[in-house]
Amino acid sequence: MADPVASVLPSPVASAPRKRSDLKRLGIFAAIALVVIAIGPYVLPMYMVNGLIRAFLYAAVALTVDVLWGYTGILTFGQSAFFGIGAYAAGLMFTHVGFSTGYAAIALVAGVGVAMLVAGLVGWLAFYHGASPLYGSVVTLVLPIVVTQILFSGGNFTGSSSGLSGFESFDVSIEAWFWIAGGFLVALTSAAWLFVRSDAGRILVAIRENEQRCEYVGINVSRVKIVLMVVCAAIAAIAGYAFAGVQMVVAPEYAGFVFGTELLIWVALGGRGTLIGPVIGTLVLDVSTSYLSGNLPFVWKLVIGVAFVVVIVALPQGLTPLVTRTARRLFGRREADAPDAPVTFEHSAAAPYAGLEGAGQQALAVEGVRKHFGSLAVLQGIDFTANRGELLSLVGPNGAGKTTLMRCVADGNERSGGTVRINDHDIGRKPPYTCVGFGVGRKFQTANVFETLTVAEALRIARTRMARPSLWSRDGTLPLPEASLQVIRATGLDLQIGTEARHLSHGMKQALELAMVLALEPSVLLLDEPTAGLTKPERTMIGGILVNLAQKHRLCILLVEHDLDFVREISSRVIVLHQGRLVLDGTVAEVVESELVRTIYSGAAHGAPS
Amino acid sequence: MSTLLDILTTAAILYSVCAGLLLVFGVMKIINFAHGGFLTVGGYSALLVTHLGLHPWWAPAFAFVIGAVCGMAIERLVVRPLYSRPLDAILATWGLGIIIGQVITLAFGREVQFVKSPVTGALDLPGGASYSEYRLLLVAVAVALGLTLAAVLEGTRLGLVTRAVIMNENLARALGINSGLVRFATFSLGAGLASLAGSLITPLSSVDPNMGVPWLVNAFMLVMVSGVSLVSLAIACVVLGGAQVLVSQWGNPILGGLTIVVLAAFVLRLRPQGFSRG
């Protein structure tokens, strides 16, 4: 599809140096943190050293909550359950079997393994295709309740409500535990920092911003969430295991729902989606709680409650952004890092869908497609086929079923009956991300983009299917197919690649979405009123691009459009829908001349027996 | 026979506890996690009535008024800014629950206390057994509550406006309905009903500052499987509440405590619209 000569666009942002300085900053921060942790046990009072060990481990769990909730938008009450599973793995093993290095290793593997299994089950339950975010939260709420009840009912085996204590554990000094827990937290925070800023980490934000768009660029959102859940569960279980090792006590509360919400409070107060905020929030709040709850038992908890409500209502980003902004103002520093990854675009090598190229089959076949909502039939037996290189316009009055038909082509779960084949693949009941794999690209009626991602980031998300993004770094180049580059250049998006989508104009958002869909290298392109709300010159330009895509790149384009003049200019064929039926399928001339179309549009055909 | 009555009375209690939460969820599309706090407020209102030496019959009315007043203040200060952030509303109202619990602890102490029951007798059953009259009374209360709510929703202008907001808030607003006022009234009513329910359940057990939390989770799950319909809530209470009674009786009480949450989670997984008609 694209010519192999790499033509690199000039990048408006300086590239490599900034990236290296990012790593350097991380290195400096980590080194300072490690030094502080190294000298901590020598200068801090014993009570505080103890408290901090616990807080380090809690902070590790809070970090996973931040990745799940702050970055990915999964409000989870359940991370405490995994912490508890890890803790009980140690507690049960050391109480009932005894302590040895071998048993300790087995307990760790078992704890992490069980936590991952449970997380997989929870993920399967909570994140099925089409699940509401509220349902996901419900399941994470049920989990800790179930785990604590199981622990309660375990009798002497789990120690019931009083838990297990007094078991033999690692022969490690308090200082060493402080270093282990602190080092674990620093390593984890650094890894998480690299991950969320990497190309793969941006997918999490994309999911938070717009799950639907993610599915329609071919990302299996459910799977991403489940994998993330499993990894976060493993981390929480390790923290819990270490907790049991150092405290030599485990109790059902550590797996409970209240601890789960406490984690959310720490994350919210520290600042969700900042990583460092939740860590500091946890350390400060947990340590101060252990000091203050003695003096002001109920008032302190009341203060935390009030602060939590105030932050959620008035400062949803938490206290960290507030602190850093104030610090910057005080020291007169400019905003430290631009949010954009410096990126240069280049031509991608053509990546045709395996087995679809060159056989000359039908691009799109729609047979007897029906759709009804209850007793209301929206589509009734739609039949048509389309080949590559065709620009097929769907016209019809409002409510004719045009958008519904688009939906039925791009998502196997939408239609009530009939068959849809993309490049000879029956889409069956397959979800949108699988249909993308068959070659469908869908652009929505209203611009459907990722509001807080930059243009370059959004385009990279659209390339996830083609190029597996790195889990720890950002790529400086972004290969895109020629058609996508053409849209980017023609609309001037290349001058705004570091701009977040929410700051783009309406027309630019439309262009961005089109460029993203084209970045998928689709062979069947579905466009729902791509020119709605655009100016005349913008429409003409988009029209030119579409004609070029159909003729030069041999795409099969299905276009929903109200503007009949626009349709006449660019279409190679027109289909007329009326009250859920296909009433005409012909050339532009045939449709324009048609008496039927004129009656439909003048409204005379409404109410006629159909 | 007594198992059957257990199922019936358990369902009735659950229904009373859930009604306020359902109303708030239906109209405002937010989950009010301060619901448990309002139940506690109701419990302590009943305790106050006992302390003041008033007849226990005053407790429900007293609880309703106090709950509704708390609800009014909270809607204005906390809930209103969160209309567009439903997941944050869960968290903020959970925080409110903590605040309510701590204020009550400071005012009344954290120990478990007991409330006088308005009806103490037991009814003799045909088989020679007997059954608590108060629990049976709660069935009547729940039925009355359901019928009153239905009558308000179906029969009054306020109900009509409320139903309009439930179905399509933007359209309702465009037609000149003050949806902010509807939300305000709903939240206050929901808080009042929760508090009322709190005062009704206290004679069965006792009051303590965290008494609302266990109820909250069950109520939340029941509302999730009910959609926004009072009828499907009744069905859900009977089916899941019944399952809870049976599991507690034939299995063990701890498993019984889990029945509602676990069943509801699976019901929603297999049938996302739950007990309401798709």
Side-chain angles (χ1 to χ4, degrees):
Chain A
M1 187 184 286
D3 68 84
V5 189
S7 80
V8 178
L9 284 174
S11 155
V13 203
S15 164
R18 163 96 36 91
K19 203 165 141 195
R20 217 169 293 135
S21 90
D22 264 3
L23 274 178
K24 211 162 87 189
R25 269 199 320 157
L26 174 66
I28 293 171
F29 271 118
I32 293 174
L34 287 173
V35 169
V36 169
I37 287 165
I39 56 176
Y42 300 115
V43 295
L44 295 171
M46 205 35 146
Y47 182 68
M48 186 140 188
V49 171
N50 255 318
L52 274 171
I53 294 173
R54 189 185 58 215
F56 286 153
L57 297 172
Y58 286 174
V61 189
L63 210 57
T64 66
V65 172
D66 193 30
V67 170
L68 286 167
W69 175 44
Y71 284 91
T72 322
I74 305 166
L75 178 61
T76 172
F77 295 89
Q79 285 304 99
S80 54
F82 304 119
F83 184 85
I85 289 173
Y88 268 90
L92 289 172
M93 180 66 97
F94 301 160
T95 305
H96 297 298
V97 185
F99 181 86
S100 79
T101 320
Y103 290 146
I106 293 171
L108 179 62
V109 171
V112 171
V114 170
M116 289 170 87
L117 265 177
V118 172
L121 180 70
V122 165
W124 169 79
L125 202 58
F127 308 130
Y128 63 93
H129 173 67
S132 77
L134 194 55
Y135 178 71
S137 293
V138 170
V139 175
T140 65
L141 180 69
V142 171
L143 171 69
I145 295 172
V146 171
V147 172
T148 38
Q149 291 301 325
I150 291 173
L151 294 174
F152 272 125
S153 58
N156 283 336
F157 185 64
T158 59
S160 195
S161 62
S162 49
L164 302 167
S165 59
F167 45 80
E168 199 187 338
S169 178
F170 299 93
D171 183 19
V172 172
S173 68
I174 284 296
E175 289 81 11
W177 271 117
F178 188 84
W179 293 323
I180 293 169
F184 175 60
L185 180 61
V186 171
L188 198 63
T189 312
S190 308
W193 191 85
L194 282 173
F195 170 60
V196 296
R197 295 169 68 93
S198 72
D199 289 334
R202 295 285 92 188
I203 294 176
L204 308 186
V205 179
I207 289 174
R208 182 187 73 199
E209 294 291 324
N210 193 337
E211 223 175 293
Q212 184 191 41
R213 185 72 266 178
C214 283
E215 299 233 313
Y216 278 96
V217 295
I219 296 172
N220 184 342
V221 172
S222 305
R223 205 178 60 190
V224 173
K225 284 183 172 177
I226 292 172
V227 169
L228 195 66
M229 190 89 186
V230 168
V231 172
C232 286
I235 292 167
I238 293 171
Y241 176 86
F243 178 87
V246 62
Q247 301 277 340
M248 288 178 273
V249 59
V250 294
E253 289 83 66
Y254 295 114
F257 153 66
V258 173
F259 181 40
T261 53
E262 220 166 338
L263 289 164
L264 283 170
I265 293 176
W266 294 333
V267 173
L269 288 178
R272 67 178 98 158
T274 60
L275 294 183
I276 193 70
V279 168
I280 293 173
T282 307
L283 298 184
V284 170
L285 286 171
D286 186 55
V287 171
S288 51
T289 299
S290 61
Y291 276 90
L292 290 173
S293 58
N295 303 330
L296 317 156
F298 308 125
V299 179
W300 175 245
K301 206 176 162 196
L302 180 64
V303 170
I304 299 258
V306 171
F308 177 56
V309 173
V310 169
V311 162
I312 292 284
V313 172
L315 284 170
Q317 296 315 310
L319 296 173
T320 306
L322 198 70
V323 171
T324 51
R325 229 179 298 138
T326 319
R328 266 190 208 122
R329 207 166 297 148
L330 282 180
F331 298 110
R333 291 235 334 248
R334 64 190 171 77
E335 290 287 312
D337 50 346
D340 52 292
V343 160
T344 43
F345 296 128
E346 61 182 29
H347 274 176
S348 60
Y353 297 94
L356 304 179
E357 193 77 4
Q361 315 95 324
Q362 205 91 66
L364 172 64
V366 174
E367 286 162 22
V369 164
R370 286 178 291 111
K371 170 76 182 175
H372 53 81
F373 298 102
S375 60
L376 177 72
V378 183
L379 290 177
Q380 313 180 41
I382 305 290
D383 289 290
F384 70 92
T385 57
N387 294 312
R388 298 197 104 177
E390 272 194 286
L391 205 167
L392 180 56
S393 286
L394 269 177
V395 301
N398 281 327
K402 305 185 295 292
T403 300
T404 309
L405 180 56
M406 291 286 213
R407 224 180 276 146
C408 291
V409 173
D411 181 351
N413 271 314
E414 284 287 340
R415 67 192 189 284
S416 315
T419 335
V420 173
R421 274 197 292 275
I422 309 288
N423 292 312
D424 296 341
H425 290 258
D426 189 341
I427 68 168
R429 291 278 154 216
K430 302 214 165 62
Y433 52 83
T434 312
C435 296
V436 170
F438 295 150
V440 176
R442 177 178 175 206
K443 196 203 153 304
F444 290 79
Q445 189 168 0
T446 45
N448 193 340
V449 292
F450 305 112
E451 294 287 322
T452 65
L453 291 188
T454 66
V455 170
E457 286 169 342
L459 287 164
R460 187 177 309 277
I461 298 285
R463 294 290 292 176
T464 305
R465 278 190 69 257
M466 316 283 164
R468 206 186 169 81
S470 161
L471 286 168
W472 58 278
S473 73
R474 282 179 286 175
D475 199 340
T477 57
L478 174 59
L480 289 173
E482 198 194 323
S484 183
L485 280 176
Q486 206 180 5
V487 171
I488 292 168
R489 287 207 199 92
T491 53
L493 262 182
D494 52 344
L495 302 175
Q496 303 200 45
I497 59 168
T499 311
E500 289 183 21
R502 62 189 160 145
H503 299 311
L504 294 176
S505 71
H506 176 69
M508 283 303 217
K509 278 187 190 174
Q510 296 275 30
L512 173 59
E513 201 195 352
L514 184 58
M516 283 165 63
V517 172
L518 289 173
L520 297 169
E521 302 184 20
S523 51
V524 177
L525 183 60
L526 308 179
L527 302 170
D528 202 342
E529 299 195 36
T531 65
L534 296 191
T535 61
K536 184 75 187 158
E538 283 171 330
R539 296 166 80 88
T540 314
M541 184 189 67
I542 296 274
I545 290 170
L546 296 185
V547 170
N548 184 40
L549 284 173
Q551 288 174 356
K552 187 171 160 213
H553 298 283
R554 305 296 297 160
L555 260 65
C556 167
I557 302 180
L558 193 58
L559 176 76
V560 165
E561 192 49 73
H562 272 300
D563 182 346
L564 285 181
D565 290 330
F566 185 68
V567 167
R568 188 173 348 187
E569 275 165 36
I570 65 170
S571 311
S572 60
R573 201 175 125 202
V574 181
I575 282 179
V576 184
L577 285 184
H578 181 54
Q579 293 183 344
R581 290 178 193 281
L582 193 160
V583 291
L584 200 62
D585 180 352
T587 64
V588 176
E590 280 166 6
V591 170
V592 171
E593 302 294 306
S594 155
E595 190 63 33
L596 181 64
V597 172
R598 223 165 289 151
T599 4
I600 288 172
Y601 267 89
S602 64
H606 275 290
S610 48
Chain B
M1 182 66 186
S2 111
T3 305
L4 213 61
L5 284 178
D6 272 344
I7 291 175
L8 198 62
T9 53
T10 302
I13 294 166
L14 287 170
Y15 191 82
S16 313
V17 168
C18 295
L21 191 65
L22 181 92
L23 207 61
V24 171
F25 180 60
V27 176
M28 307 172 74
K29 308 287 180 290
I30 61 166
I31 299 290
N32 174 22
F33 261 36
H35 193 75
F38 290 134
L39 287 171
T40 316
V41 167
Y44 278 85
S45 305
L47 187 70
L48 262 182
V49 168
T50 305
H51 282 184
L52 291 172
L54 295 173
H55 193 276
W57 284 120
W58 283 100
F62 196 59
F64 181 81
V65 172
I66 292 186
V69 170
C70 290
M72 286 178 197
I74 286 169
E75 202 276 345
R76 274 289 142 103
L77 295 173
V78 177
V79 179
R80 183 158 299 188
L82 298 176
Y83 283 166
S84 55
R85 294 186 272 149
L87 288 184
D88 279 5
I90 294 185
L91 291 173
T93 50
W94 170 254
L96 279 172
I98 295 177
I99 295 174
I100 293 172
Q102 293 313 111
V103 169
I104 285 177
T105 309
L106 288 170
F108 293 89
R110 67 193 301 188
E111 67 274 8
V112 170
Q113 301 183 64
F114 295 92
V115 173
K116 261 197 212 150
S117 171
V119 180
T120 47
L123 194 73
D124 290 324
L125 296 181
S130 64
Y131 203 84
S132 154
E133 277 179 19
Y134 186 70
R135 283 185 75 99
L136 291 173
L137 180 68
L138 287 181
V139 178
V141 171
V143 171
L145 186 69
L147 290 179
T148 312
L149 281 177
V152 169
L153 278 177
E154 301 292 329
T156 67
R157 185 166 163 72
L158 175 70
L160 181 70
V161 169
T162 306
R163 277 186 294 147
V165 173
I166 291 175
M167 282 173 197
N168 188 340
E169 179 163 357
N170 288 330
L171 182 60
R173 237 194 338 244
L175 292 173
I177 290 172
N178 183 348
S179 67
L181 195 65
V182 172
R183 284 164 171 272
F184 179 70
T186 309
F187 195 84
S188 311
L189 182 62
L193 287 176
S195 180
L196 175 78
S199 76
L200 292 174
I201 55 178
T202 43
L204 296 172
S205 49
S206 57
V207 294
D208 70 85
N210 295 316
M211 60 176 271
V213 177
W215 289 99
L216 169 69
V217 176
N218 277 344
F220 171 63
M221 297 307 283
L222 283 166
V223 169
M224 288 285 100
V225 295
S226 305
V228 292
S229 146
L230 287 165
V231 178
S232 49
L233 178 64
I235 300 172
C237 287
V238 172
V239 173
L240 296 182
Q244 178 185 0
V245 170
L246 294 177
V247 172
S248 308
Q249 219 157 60
W250 307 113
N252 75 42
I254 291 173
L255 282 182
L258 289 177
T259 313
I260 291 181
V261 286
V262 173
L263 279 184
F266 278 94
V267 165
L268 285 171
R269 174 65 170 87
L270 301 173
R271 193 179 143 86
Q273 72 272 35
F275 283 89
S276 59
R277 281 166 296 167

